[in-house]
Amino acid sequence: ARPAAAPEQNRSFPDRSAWPVQTSEHFVVVHDSLPADRVRDSVRDLEAAYAHVSTALQYDLPRPVRVILVRADRDIDSQAGTVSAATREQRVVLSLESLDLSTGLVLHELTHVFAFDIVPETSRIAPVVIEGLAEHQRGAWAPRDLRVIRAAAAAGAIPSVAVLVDTDRHWAHAVFDFVAARQGEEGVRRLMFALRAHETVDRAVPMAFGITFEQFEQEFRGYVVATFGRI
């Protein structure tokens, strides 16, 4: 799924006016004449993911999410999802192929939609934070990410949360796991809504938790060593 800037007049999109549409409480799913049972299963998974993220963040999106459902990953580039700057209409593209192969993909991608609505500035200026949130909501660690973070924890090479870059999504994932471990999902929600006002983690933490960012980082480093330093 690829939220991105909307092209002028959506010129890159083929005409989907004849594509079937399946609606549900929170989604409008446009699909490439896919089997009815696969579409129903996908809508069910989307609604389950919506319930999960909405409950965790105590937030409902103001309008249904438009989903473009295609058959294979190779079809995604030509159907790229968009976020319209004018209307903030969210479009997400998913393939049946990816849904079959990637556990938790719907949770991850739908978290992006929620995050863009709750913290649009953070989503733009610090996308690594949103990647970490999405992985936290997915609820599992990618084996490669886990190996990298364990090696870094064992070596004491834990970066400052304030300087994470796009390739540090595993550290952002660890930050949200840390917040949930200490404060529960309510803590994650408080951090997200503090980001709404302050945009970056180092500025949002004092508002969310009433501690200095330095205290937060010290506790985070201890959590990482205790949780990931064990072999």
Side-chain angles (χ1 to χ4, degrees):
R2 302 186 181 184
E8 276 185 39
Q9 304 300 322
N10 288 332
R11 287 178 301 185
S12 65
F13 295 100
D15 180 13
R16 292 190 299 268
S17 60
W19 284 23
V21 177
Q22 178 77 42
T23 61
S24 65
E25 182 178 0
H26 299 108
F27 297 92
V28 176
V29 179
V30 181
H31 63 92
D32 190 9
S33 299
L34 300 174
D37 60 331
R38 297 303 309 275
V39 175
R40 284 195 301 269
D41 289 347
S42 298
V43 171
R44 179 201 62 207
D45 292 345
L46 285 163
E47 286 291 350
Y50 186 102
H52 177 97
V53 180
S54 177
T55 299
L57 299 178
Q58 296 180 32
Y59 189 82
D60 277 304
L61 295 169
R63 61 188 62 85
V65 180
R66 186 175 179 84
V67 175
I68 301 168
L69 189 61
V70 296
R71 189 175 302 275
D73 285 351
R74 66 176 178 270
D75 301 321
I76 288 179
D77 285 341
S78 64
Q79 308 291 338
T82 69
V83 176
S84 166
T87 65
R88 281 229 183 106
E89 180 190 4
Q90 309 258 353
R91 292 187 186 129
V92 175
V93 180
L94 297 169
S95 76
L96 294 181
E97 180 181 0
S98 288
L99 292 175
D100 287 341
L101 296 175
S102 181
T103 302
L105 176 65
V106 174
L107 272 172
H108 180 106
E109 298 302 342
L110 192 59
T111 298
H112 280 279
V113 178
F114 274 83
F116 191 88
D117 204 76
I118 298 170
V119 286
E121 290 305 312
T122 302
S123 298
R124 281 190 284 263
I125 68 175
V128 65
V129 173
I130 305 309
E131 283 296 325
L133 174 68
E135 285 296 281
H136 169 73
Q137 291 296 336
R138 190 168 71 91
W141 276 86
R144 181 184 180 281
D145 287 351
L146 196 55
R147 288 194 298 270
V148 170
I149 207 166
R150 281 178 170 166
I158 302 170
S160 169
V161 177
V163 297
L164 299 183
V165 297
D166 289 353
T167 55
D168 291 331
R169 77 173 195 171
H170 49 290
W171 288 112
H173 182 178
V175 167
F176 282 101
D177 279 9
F178 160 65
V179 169
R182 294 291 191 271
Q183 303 278 343
E185 289 303 318
E186 171 62 17
V188 173
R189 189 192 73 83
R190 284 162 56 191
L191 180 56
M192 285 297 292
F193 282 88
L195 285 167
R196 197 169 190 168
H198 294 290
E199 300 172 2
T200 58
V201 173
D202 56 318
R203 294 170 59 194
V205 158
M207 176 181 176
F209 306 121
I211 61 175
T212 67
F213 184 65
E214 290 72 21
Q215 289 175 290
F216 179 86
E217 284 217 306
Q218 182 177 2
E219 293 182 15
F220 173 65
R221 286 192 292 270
Y223 166 83
V224 169
V225 170
T227 303
F228 300 99
R230 299 189 297 268
I231 304 299

